[in-house]
Amino acid sequence: MSTQLPEQVDDESSADEVEPQPEAQERRLQKKRDRAAEQERQRQAEEAEKALDDEDTYHLKVFRYDPEIAGKKEPRFDDFHVPFEKGMTVLDALMYARDTYDSSLTFRHSCRQAICGSDAMFVNGSQRLCCKTQLSDLEEPVRIEPLPHAEVVKDLVVDMEHFYDQMEAVEPYFQTNDLPDGELEEQRQSRENREKVKMSTRCIWCGACMSSCNIAAGDNQYLGPAALNKAYRFTMDEREGEEMKQQRLEILEQEHGVWRCQTQFSCTEVCPKDIPLTEHIQELKREAVKNNLKFW
Amino acid sequence: MHEHDVIVVGAGGAGLRAAIAAQEEGADVAIVSKLHPVRSHTGAAEGGINAALREGDSWQDHAYDTMKGSDYLGDAPAIETLAQDSPEEVIQLEHWGMAFSREEDGRVSQRPFGGLSFPRTTYAGAETGHQLLHTMYEQLVKRGIEVYDEWYVLDLAVSDEPEPEDRSCHGVVGYDIQSGTIEGFRARDGVILATGGLGQVYDHTTNAVANTGDGVAMAYRAGVPIEDMEFIQFHPTTLPSTGVLITEGVRGEGGILYNEEGERFMFEYGYANNDGELASRDVVSRAELTEVNEGRGIEDEYVHLDMRHLGEERIVDRLENIIHLSEDFEGVDPLEEPMPVKPGQHYAMGGIETDENGETCVSGLYAAGECACASVHGSNRLGGNALPELIVFGARAGHHAAGRDMKEAEIPTGKRGDWEAGDVDTPVEPGDVPGTGAGDAVADGGAAASDLDPDELVQRATERTQVRIESLLDNEDGRNHAEIRSEVQESMTQHVNVFREKEGLKQALRDIREAREKYAEVGVADQSRTFNTDLLHTIETRNIIDLAEAITLGALAREEFRGAHWRKEHQERDDENWLKHTLLSWNGGSPELWFKPVILEGEDKRYEPKIRSY
């Protein structure tokens, strides 16, 4: 089990931290929660049994965990049997399970067209975007877990803060001191240069690469493939100029920067936008070497 | 309680631009958003940004095309502002590093789009929105603007004077999705709503699941009029199984539509003999559905969009994203086969009534982007005009809220004595959900601003919201929101779609009434305080019900055929009676309908309505 769970706190203190409430009300709520949990388990068992009789269903095994609710604190897998329709994606199946069987099933999703990057999960042992993964491409039972190497908030939702922090560490914004004269004059950029950075600009911050990276798993400070790719996007943009490029390479050459990458290609393999992440990191290494050679 | 000068609600294109603008003006600004900014739906925009940048083009031509495209229901001051400000805003994006597609000489590329007299759509492949969203988020990071992400805004803190024009907004109430904490956000100078679209009112939409029209619904219930809600744009090329958008850029580059017989129906059946596939979106959507309804659709559902003849090189260069979308979501390789497409809900032309500075009639409350209606798009939005709207009006709202001295607005807001009162014959009593306690014109404050200090007003709104949340959680055995939501979505898609008729519209109102009654019994089964999406979706569903009703009431009231609004009983555009905007006021839970005239007077000309011929 590669998923990290936050340290559990006992029942009452967690409730107190969330919102202090009179004891009686809290006891009442707790009872309700326990009862709800029990009812839910029963209903699911019944639904599961019913669905098993149906041949055109897909069997999902979904990771569940809720730090707050008695009976859900112990991580477990729930079974859902979802009626299958042609073209159905893993996200469709999860939404069906949530809307039909258990409204407490929790996961992030929004655009369902592979651009918002919010529904990256660990599906049958691989980091994937649920919205663009066809159920029919997967072996049953389909095992759905939160992204490994990230703290689980609840069910399939992980804490993305660390990922965002790493993205911000590379100064992820365009910087130039050399804007053209004239209010409506754009900076020229050659087609070749735009083509060079194009793939790197497609990152949707889903976190799949970071989750798949062995180095990032062992070194919390490693910038990781997504942030390095973001750095590539600017380092290679001819509009920023040479001086800025050197400044960027200095950031990338730090102890937990590009040199940590061991070219295992796992990030490149899982990237849902087909960004050649490993290649970009290698190119940054080459640039860094060239940059250093100049001063010898 | 959190406190800032300006609070921006929503972190898509309009919200980000508004926050940057407010900060440029020296304000302490914060964004409160239910999604992390990079997850916003602006990222899904594909086609491009219209801006008159080149020799041979002019802002006047852009304004004229937009007015004509709107079918003369846009307000000239808003349209001209859009056309005048967008070149500077687009070049600013370029200066912020946005990865636009490039010409041989290194300048940004532009391409033709439907309804435009000049190829003025600037783009970044078929992923313009993604590039724009990320570029602006980068600027946010650079400037250190504070973002409360995964905080859902549940209500506005608005004072409750009898007339909305006398009210003022002092903040919002937020819900921290991760922890379940409810807190007030006090805004010293202004609140800017930038909450985007409401596509989830329908079940076949290009919009994200998060696009539930929260801002429009909140403003509506706080007494702000909402404008032209009946004008919903249906995009003619969405994938049938999911609603995923296939950009108009495909037709802009020369893509062709065919029916089942292999006929190029836009010409062969005379829907648009001048512009064919590049006629405006309402025209093409109706043409496709007519083909399907007359038995010339494929599998009785869709038509084909073919771009194979453009050649692989051009497709990869300009429309690469479309290859992936078609393959991933429809299993069709568009380099080998034509893509199946049908119309889908895409954009709400209507929304919160604002002037050209983004201000509403409630002082301190602004709106920008798709949730707003400064009336740039009138009854039909041209492709490539949504993204400039975001940046132009986002920037203006941000500057104005933060205190910049702007030219006085020409578009009037709020209800005036001389506006014409409207009336519709409805089969049911429309309005509030019984027992939810949000029926009062002002959702929260409970007192006029003069009686309370603003902090106290925000505090009261917060307490009231807490009670509402507790009661939803208390009713754990109540009805599930998902059932109610999908019933509304299905009825809207059946009755308030591309084609509309009186009886269907009335049926939709009856269905919505039924949904309201069910909603009175709604409850939340998930009792957790942590990341409770069950609770969020329950609250969103209420917004969907209110907006579905507003759209249907507007559609029933407007007895003419204009832009995206087609009525079976009224097959003519009626300029004599209907050159006016539909407005709805919440009025304590019983919607009040009235009209205000369209402004056709521009800076130095008057726009004369002409028959649209595409």
Side-chain angles (χ1 to χ4, degrees), chain A residues 17-19 21 25 28-29 31-33 35-37 39-40 43 66-69 72 86-87 89 91-92 95 98-100 102-118 131-134 153-155 157-161 163-164 168 171-176 179-180 182-192 194-195 197-199 201-207 230 233-234 237 239 272-274, chain B residues 35-36 38-41 43-44 46 52-54 87-89 91 94-109 123-125 127 130-131 134-135 137-139 141-142 149-150 178-182 200 203-211 241-245 316-318 320-321 324-325 327-330 466 470 473-477 480-483 524-534 537:
Chain A
E17 266 169 28
V18 173
E19 205 170 283
Q21 289 177 2
Q25 195 190 353
R28 181 174 59 84
L29 271 176
K31 247 165 77 184
K32 281 176 64 168
R33 285 173 194 151
R35 205 177 66 223
Q39 279 177 354
E40 241 166 52
R43 198 177 62 219
D66 187 325
E68 246 189 88
I69 302 283
K72 293 188 179 177
K86 188 172 166 280
T89 63
L91 179 64
D92 293 332
M95 288 167 77
R98 178 196 66 197
D99 291 347
T100 319
D102 180 359
S103 62
S104 74
L105 176 59
T106 305
F107 47 94
R108 286 193 184 95
H109 67 296
S110 186
C111 76
R112 85 241 180 287
Q113 62 180 80
I115 196 74
C116 79
S118 61
C131 64
K132 66 172 276 192
T133 303
Q134 294 285 327
V153 175
K154 177 176 166 184
D155 292 351
V157 174
V158 296
D159 190 340
M160 294 291 286
E161 280 313 309
F163 178 83
Y164 296 145
E168 291 196 10
E171 298 187 7
Y173 36 82
F174 187 74
Q175 299 179 65
T176 177
L179 284 177
E183 211 174 295
L184 289 182
E185 199 54 44
E186 63 254 46
Q187 313 155 89
R188 306 281 173 124
Q189 180 185 26
S190 69
R191 282 188 164 183
E192 293 70 30
R194 197 240 171 204
E195 198 58 31
V197 298
K198 184 178 84 181
M199 291 309 288
T201 65
R202 292 205 171 148
C203 173
I204 56 174
W205 298 41
C206 68
K230 191 78 179 167
R233 181 255 172 279
F234 292 110
D237 193 316
R239 294 172 296 171
K273 303 308 274 187
D274 301 325
Chain B
L35 302 178
H36 183 279
V38 301
R39 318 285 176 214
S40 302
H41 198 57
E46 292 167 9
L53 294 175
R54 297 282 176 261
E88 197 184 316
E89 286 290 335
I91 295 301
E94 203 285 337
H95 288 178
W96 287 343
M98 183 164 155
F100 283 106
S101 293
R102 299 281 166 171
E103 292 299 327
E104 283 298 348
D105 64 0
R107 302 189 71 186
V108 299
S109 294
Y123 62 97
E127 52 192 49
H130 166 78
Q131 300 290 356
H134 282 257
T135 302
Y137 181 62
E138 288 157 18
Q139 289 299 308
V141 172
K142 182 179 179 188
D149 71 291
E150 297 191 332
Q178 283 237 11
S179 73
T181 314
I182 295 167
Q200 289 300 317
D203 70 0
H204 188 82
T205 174
T206 62
N207 283 199
V209 179
N211 287 10
S241 57
T242 49
V244 166
L245 175 70
V316 171
D317 181 41
R318 299 173 173 216
E320 186 186 336
N321 186 37
H324 303 308
L325 293 176
E327 278 181 338
D328 292 343
F329 298 103
E330 208 65 50
Q466 268 160 348
E470 283 306 327
L473 287 169
D474 259 354
N475 190 16
E476 66 181 284
D477 301 321
N480 183 4
H481 61 84
E483 171 204 337
V524 177
D526 188 357
Q527 294 290 300
S528 177
R529 295 265 159 190
T530 307
F531 223 96
N532 191 336
T533 52
D534 196 5
H537 296 155

Side-chain angles (χ1 to χ4, degrees), chain B residues 92 106 254:
Chain B
Q92 170 143 278

Side-chain angles (χ1 to χ4, degrees), chain B residues 23 40 125 139 183 241 265 282 336 362 421 428 434 467 486 515 528 585:
Chain B
Q23 203 214 28
S40 302
Q139 289 299 308
E183 282 184 58
S241 57
F265 57 86
D282 56 314
E336 300 288 333
V362 168
V428 290
V467 171
S486 83
S528 177
S585 281

